[in-house]
Amino acid sequence: DAKTTQPTSMDCAEGRAANLPCNHSTISGNEYVYWYRQIHSQGPQYIIHGLKNNETNEMASLIITEDRKSSTLILPHATLRDTAVYYCIVRVGGYSGAGSYQLTFGKGTKLSVIP
Amino acid sequence: DTGVSQNPRHKITKRGQNVTFRCDPISEHNRLYWYRQTLGQGPEFLTYFQNEAQLEKSRLLSDRFSAERPKGSFSTLEIQRTEQGDSAMYLCASSAAGAMNTEAFFGQGTRLTVV
């Protein structure tokens, strides 16, 4: 799986949009971008994933650049409960593909939402 | 609660003792994963089951680590002759197979402290 690079930490004011960047310059054509987050003392929580189109769900939006070498996770109105470590993961797609079962986590970005 | 359940949540053991952790996945999920997370690091993949078959175990940290999923439902992770370096959070996750890119749902983990 391709390696990802994320800033170690970020701050965001409560109520503002949080924009979390991720670089994945070696991503392959069949690799998807996944985002998970981990609130202190809990297991990771799935947020969103995408291949090349922008995606949006009830939690966040995912913007993937046209060359797919980077992406941004957007939390539109950050709350204190969004304080967590956010992991960007690149993974081969397909339920039977090699490595499709495994998530390779880096150290992620620690997002602190400030009142 | 229909999420992934892990027991116990915390375990303190003396060095050299054996420990066993249990994971109950989401009932309709046939894929089950074990991860380990040490302080300040992202989760690290250990092993993977599809139904009762353990399809990947090469990432288990040593031969002291073993996992089972005898009936394709709950799973256990055993660590024999524990060492202080085994102190970590052990996370279980499950997902459904047969569809593209189904996300993994994590439990809250078992925190092991070896003294």
Side-chain angles (χ1 to χ4, degrees), chain A residues 32 34 36 38 41-46 49 87 91-96 100-107, chain B residues 9 31 33 35 37 40-43 45 48 56 59 89 91 97-104 106-108:
Chain A
Y32 287 68
Y34 281 75
Y36 280 74
Q38 188 171 24
S41 295
Q42 296 186 20
Q45 176 190 23
Y46 166 82
H49 74 277
Y87 296 100
R91 199 198 80 176
V92 173
Y95 70 91
S96 62
S100 65
Y101 49 80
Q102 176 181 338
L103 297 169
T104 301
F105 291 83
K107 292 188 176 181
Chain B
R9 292 291 311 280
R31 290 182 164 183
Y33 318 81
Y35 286 78
Q37 186 173 25
Q41 305 295 317
F45 171 80
Y48 154 66
E56 174 58 64
R59 302 294 183 93
M89 175 78 84
L91 293 159
M100 295 289 288
N101 303 299
T102 56
E103 63 269 25
F106 283 81
Q108 293 197 325

Side-chain angles (χ1 to χ4, degrees), chain A residues 35-91:
Chain A
W35 284 83
Y36 280 74
R37 73 179 183 182
Q38 188 171 24
I39 295 170
H40 182 62
S41 295
Q42 296 186 20
Q45 176 190 23
Y46 166 82
I47 301 173
I48 198 168
H49 74 277
L51 180 61
K52 55 183 177 182
N53 298 319
N54 297 338
E55 302 287 344
T56 296
N57 63 20
E58 65 277 4
M59 289 182 67
S61 295
L62 174 60
I63 309 297
I64 302 173
T65 58
E66 191 169 346
D67 64 7
R68 303 210 319 123
K69 293 185 177 182
S70 65
S71 61
T72 302
L73 178 75
I74 301 173
L75 307 178
H77 305 287
T79 71
L80 298 178
R81 287 175 295 180
D82 293 321
T83 293
V85 177
Y86 287 77
Y87 296 100
C88 170
I89 299 166
V90 172
R91 199 198 80 176

Side-chain angles (χ1 to χ4, degrees), chain B residues 16-57:
Chain B
Q17 298 293 305
N18 300 343
V19 294
T20 300
F21 311 138
R22 177 178 170 125
C23 171
D24 288 273
I26 293 171
S27 59
E28 62 268 27
H29 285 179
N30 56 359
R31 290 182 164 183
L32 187 146
Y33 318 81
W34 285 99
Y35 286 78
R36 183 182 81 153
Q37 186 173 25
T38 54
L39 199 61
Q41 305 295 317
E44 173 188 12
F45 171 80
L46 294 178
T47 189
Y48 154 66
F49 291 85
Q50 181 152 320
N51 300 312
E52 65 276 9
Q54 190 174 13
L55 299 185
E56 174 58 64
K57 58 182 179 180

